[in-house]
Amino acid sequence: MKRAKAWALPAVTGLVVLSALVLPPQISALRDRQTLGTIHKELLAQEELTIREATLAEKVTLLVRATRYPDLDVYSTTQSLPAPGETDAAQSEELFFQSVDFLLAWDVLPQDFDRDSLEYQGGSRAVYVQSDGSLSAGILYLQGRTAGRDDLWLVVDQETGLPLWIDCTLRSVRDSLPSSAVLGQRFLEGLGLETQLRSDAVWALTQTDGLLYTARTESDSGRISVEPLGIFPNDSGSPPAQ
C-alpha cells in the first residue's frame, strides 16, 4: 500500500506533460473545467463533446486504471490543494471531514475515535479522463491527524465526498478496530457497491469487469486499509500469485 501511494501521484504528475501533447481539444477542455473551474480553450459545440455522469463503480475503475496500470487509456492531471488556512482551502477541508463522517456512520472508524481533535493537513486533486473522453472522475487525496497521533489518508470522490480508498493508522483506538473481513464489508456496503465475496477479505465489484477490493486490519499498529486491489477480468477468485 505504501508503495502504491508513493508512485501513484508521481505517475499522475508525469502524465500531465504527456497529456498536454496528445490530448484532443475535447478532453483538454474537460480536464481544465473539472480541475481549475475554467476552460482555457474555446468551448466546443455540444454535439462534439458527449460526457455522461460516471457511476461510482466507473469512477473507482478509472482510479484503479490510472494508479495501478498507468498508460494512455486514462489521461491524468493533478494539482496541490490549498494548505489549511490558505484561501480556498475550506472546500477540500469540508470534503475531508464529510468523508470521515461517512466512515464513522459506517462503523469503519470506531465510535470512540477522537474526531474533535482531528485536523485537516492538506492534499491534492487529480482528474482522470477516459481516453475517448466519455468518462471522467475528480479525485481528492486528503490527509489529517488527531491529537492522539491517529493518521488518516483518504482518497475521496470530489462530487460526493465518499471515501473510495483509505489507509489510516489509529493508534489511540487500536483495541476497537474491526476485523479485516468486517472492515471491508462495512466499507463497501457504505459505498452502496454491489460485491461478491472472493475470500476472507477480498471482494469483486459485480458492476465492473473484475475489479477487486481488499481490506486489512493490523491490530498491533492500529492500521486499517481498504483499497482497490486491481482488475482481474479472467480471475477465478483471487489475483495471480506474486
Side-chain angles (χ1 to χ4, degrees), residues 17-43:
V17 176
L18 181 60
S19 66
L21 298 176
V22 300
L23 279 176
Q26 297 95 325
I27 298 177
S28 181
L30 172 67
R31 180 200 62 192
D32 289 341
R33 181 172 58 194
Q34 291 194 316
T35 306
L36 306 175
T38 58
I39 299 177
H40 302 289
K41 293 182 178 291
E42 182 178 353
L43 283 173

Side-chain angles (χ1 to χ4, degrees), residues 135-152:
L135 291 175
S136 67
I139 303 295
L140 304 180
Y141 294 79
L142 306 175
Q143 292 179 288
R145 197 175 205 198
T146 70
R149 298 184 302 113
D150 297 327
D151 294 303
L152 282 71

Side-chain angles (χ1 to χ4, degrees), residues 108-127:
V108 169
L109 295 178
Q111 293 303 311
D112 52 347
F113 171 75
D114 184 14
R115 187 191 184 284
D116 291 340
S117 73
L118 180 62
E119 294 184 355
Y120 169 65
Q121 294 184 308
S124 61
R125 177 193 292 114
V127 175

